[in-house]
Amino acid sequence: MASQSTPSAFARQLAEIAWHAGEIILSHYAAGVETRRKEDHSPVTAADEEAETFILARLKVLAPDEAVIAEEEVSAGHLRQIGARFFLVDPLDGTKEFISRNGEFTVNIAEIVEGKPVRGVVHAPEIERLFFGEALSGAYEAFAPPGGAPDFGEAKRIQVRSTPKDGMVAVASRSHRDAKTDEYLAKFKVREFVSAGSSLKFCLVAAGEADIYPRTGRTMEWDTAAGHAVLAAAGGSVRQLEGGPFLYGKAERGFDNPFFVARGSD
């Protein structure tokens, strides 16, 4: 379990960047959403692009020597060379949730060191929840209302819970739950299923509101890294379904992920 120290200034700065990006996204959310299709047929909006431009500019100032792998840049064919330390950014995770206006979309920023997510921020601006975590100081949630920066002095520490004796709460993708997911969960005593969009699923486990989140569909590294960092800082784990380590920086496979399971207590 992580130590009881306070979050670093660097982690708070990453959280502030995500919060400001959330303000950009909410301005588009209020004005109405116009959707286009990328080459892979996934949806993209001006909110994705403007939020990513903002995040990239701020990260360049905060950590000028670290490469950034960001979803919309990669989609446009701009793939940067990475070293042992780099950032993964999804400026608007859950674009389908954004378009359908259910509020379950997030801003994801993660820092990777030697394949492991050491810091991460997941900000859900519409539901005013901002999660951040780092390996050495634990995981936190800050109330993040629009129009005023979050008060990090009031951030509450979060951590995973022990598996309830009466059964797990399993969280599944609102847009991508499938028969393989249900088949995997049949191995466990599950008393309740909760649906959620975007990387919020990791954060529900990290906050002790759920116990397990398996994913058997395709995901990209920028979809999972920030939530993985928060969950790991809260005492949880993310592993491949067969139990192997779940690592980042897989440039040789286009930064896509194997299937995985996120857990609170093992």
Side-chain angles (χ1 to χ4, degrees), residues 90-95 97 104-108 198-200 222-223:
D90 190 341
L92 178 47
D93 184 28
T95 303
E97 280 68 37
E104 294 177 350
F105 50 88
T106 60
V107 180
N108 298 344
S198 69
S199 54
L200 276 171
W222 47 79
D223 295 320

Side-chain angles (χ1 to χ4, degrees), residues 71-122:
E71 179 180 16
E72 303 313 326
E73 273 205 338
V74 173
S75 294
H78 304 304
L79 195 57
R80 303 176 189 231
Q81 292 279 35
I82 60 169
R85 184 186 296 264
F86 67 99
F87 288 103
L88 284 162
V89 170
D90 190 341
L92 178 47
D93 184 28
T95 303
K96 290 180 181 178
E97 280 68 37
F98 179 75
I99 293 166
S100 65
R101 303 185 69 82
N102 72 11
E104 294 177 350
F105 50 88
T106 60
V107 180
N108 298 344
I109 304 173
E111 186 180 21
I112 309 300
V113 177
E114 296 181 348
K116 297 178 181 179
V118 298
R119 290 187 183 88
V121 182
V122 175

Side-chain angles (χ1 to χ4, degrees), residues 60-237:
K60 189 172 183 179
V61 174
L62 183 63
D65 297 327
E66 293 191 40
V68 182
I69 300 297
E71 179 180 16
E72 303 313 326
E73 273 205 338
V74 173
S75 294
H78 304 304
L79 195 57
R80 303 176 189 231
Q81 292 279 35
I82 60 169
R85 184 186 296 264
F86 67 99
F87 288 103
L88 284 162
V89 170
D90 190 341
L92 178 47
D93 184 28
T95 303
K96 290 180 181 178
E97 280 68 37
F98 179 75
I99 293 166
S100 65
R101 303 185 69 82
N102 72 11
E104 294 177 350
F105 50 88
T106 60
V107 180
N108 298 344
I109 304 173
E111 186 180 21
I112 309 300
V113 177
E114 296 181 348
K116 297 178 181 179
V118 298
R119 290 187 183 88
V121 182
V122 175
H123 177 38
E126 174 65 10
I127 61 174
E128 302 178 354
R129 300 185 77 173
L130 189 157
F131 301 91
F132 58 104
E134 58 185 351
L136 296 179
S137 60
Y140 299 83
E141 180 180 357
F143 176 53
D151 183 352
F152 292 109
E154 295 297 318
K156 68 176 182 180
R157 188 178 178 87
I158 59 172
Q159 62 182 48
V160 300
R161 67 185 181 186
S162 299
T163 302
K165 291 191 169 121
D166 61 345
M168 293 178 166
V169 172
V171 60
S173 172
R174 187 174 298 285
S175 302
H176 302 285
R177 183 174 166 185
D178 57 18
K180 287 183 180 179
T181 301
D182 292 339
E183 182 181 332
Y184 179 81
L185 286 171
K187 304 173 185 177
F188 302 92
K189 182 180 180 181
V190 176
R191 64 176 169 84
E192 183 181 354
F193 287 88
V194 176
S195 293
S198 69
S199 54
L200 276 171
K201 297 181 283 292
F202 293 97
C203 298
L204 295 180
V205 179
E209 298 171 28
D211 305 290
I212 189 169
Y213 159 42
R215 181 64 182 266
T216 58
R218 187 174 190 241
T219 59
M220 306 303 291
E221 292 191 9
W222 47 79
D223 295 320
T224 61
H228 184 170
V230 172
L231 177 55
S237 66

